[in-house]
Amino acid sequence: MWSKSYRITFACLNTMKSYRYLWTRPYSTFRTTVDSSEVKTFLALAHRWWDEQGVYAPLHSMNDLRVPFIRDNLLKTVANHQPGKPLSGMKILDVGCGGGLLTEPLGRLGASVIGIDPVDANIKTAQLHKSFDPVLDKRIEYRACSLEEIVEETTETFDAVIASEVVEHVIDLETFIQCCCQVLKPGGSLFITTINKTQLSYVLGIVFAEQIAGIVPKGTHTWDKFISPEKLESIMESNGLSVQTVVGMLYNPFSGYWHWIENTSLNYAAHAVKQEHLVPAEGETEELRVQASTNPSMHEELKK
Ligand SMILES: CC(C)=CCC/C(C)=C/CC/C(C)=C/CC/C(C)=C/CC/C(C)=C/CC/C(C)=C/CC/C(C)=C/CC/C(C)=C/CC/C(C)=C/CC/C(C)=C/Cc1cc(C(=O)O)cc(O)c1O
Ligand SMILES: C[S@@+](CC[C@H](N)C(=O)[O-])C[C@H]1O[C@@H](n2cnc3c(N)ncnc32)[C@H](O)[C@@H]1O
Ligand SMILES: [Mg+2]
């Protein structure tokens, strides 16, 4: 009898504990941005990242554009930099790093980079590859986890967050961008490359690139998940990011090279900067601070 009521009490306490856990956990535990079907797709190709002629060849050659894009935009924010290691002293989070194709060149430029990916096998490939270079081995840390897990551990930590060819694979893009913003330091940079949601991107990006030319494996992309630069900009701006640049990228399947173009109907790159916190000026009244939080021009006045 005693043991039965003990068991019931124990069960009740446990249930209450889990509810308390549910109530007190941050929202991010429940809103995942990871789509399990995407995980399956990337898992099957995890051993192919470093094959420069293989399925990820366009990502290898995209480095010709995206590495200078990230480097040059980051260097606009610093006065002095070490020759040869221009990004030294910077902390970068590479979200959805895959096998580390972009993480490694950023480490070589001197940055301390954390590469995260929800696919464990991708992280194993990335870890093995960087282990061949002792310099990179020190500068890069890889972790098999989601962005939401990083947000639970740390905020306002990184000078730059990068999500290259990732956002078209996530679920709940709003939460994903919100998390990117949370881990950025004020004044830090968010870099995104992705595919626009246009009729042209359906024809060239899915029908041509996947079904006809086999540039990308069949089933890699879902047109519904593509995002227009306008929508992406609006999500970024509503999360306190100020969009600096949006520029088109065109892949030439004959040469295997990428080119910058003005037109963003297919692939594009975006750079946004997290707005600085509003620092209350000395002697500033509460009323002024409230006004400033709703009026950007007042914000500028207070900064003077
Ligand atoms: C409006 C517009 C952008 C039109 C483009 C259409 C077109 C055919 C343009 C012709 C070029 C032209 C006249 C451009 C004018 C601007 C200009 C003067 C540019 C400068 C010079 C230049 C660009 C010369 C190139 C000329 C040329 C011969 C171009 C090739 C033409 C052609 C057929 C283009 C289409 C390219 C193509 C197939 C695009 C596919 C789009 C797409 C979304 C591909 C995905 C690529 C990708 C991100 C691969 C990496 C990847 C990713 C993933 C993943 O999971 O995300 C997985 C993988 O395995 C991957 O490999
Ligand atoms: C096309 S690959 C890009 C890899 C790398 N950024 C590059 O450009 O070389 C997309 C990567 O995003 C990862 N990914 C998918 N969903 C994700 C999510 N919700 N959060 C973070 N990464 C994700 C995949 O596992 C995959 O490694
Ligand atoms: Mg993609």
Side-chain angles (χ1 to χ4, degrees), residues 42 165-166 168-169 194-195 220-221 226:
F42 286 106
E165 302 305 305
V166 174
E168 74 277 14
H169 298 283
T194 190
I195 309 174
T220 296
H221 290 120
F226 290 176

Side-chain angles (χ1 to χ4, degrees), residues 56-77:
Y56 291 122
L59 290 179
H60 280 271
S61 63
M62 197 189 278
N63 278 356
D64 295 347
L65 263 55
R66 59 189 177 171
V67 174
F69 181 72
I70 294 167
R71 182 199 59 204
D72 297 346
N73 279 301
L74 283 179
L75 289 183
K76 284 180 193 161
T77 63

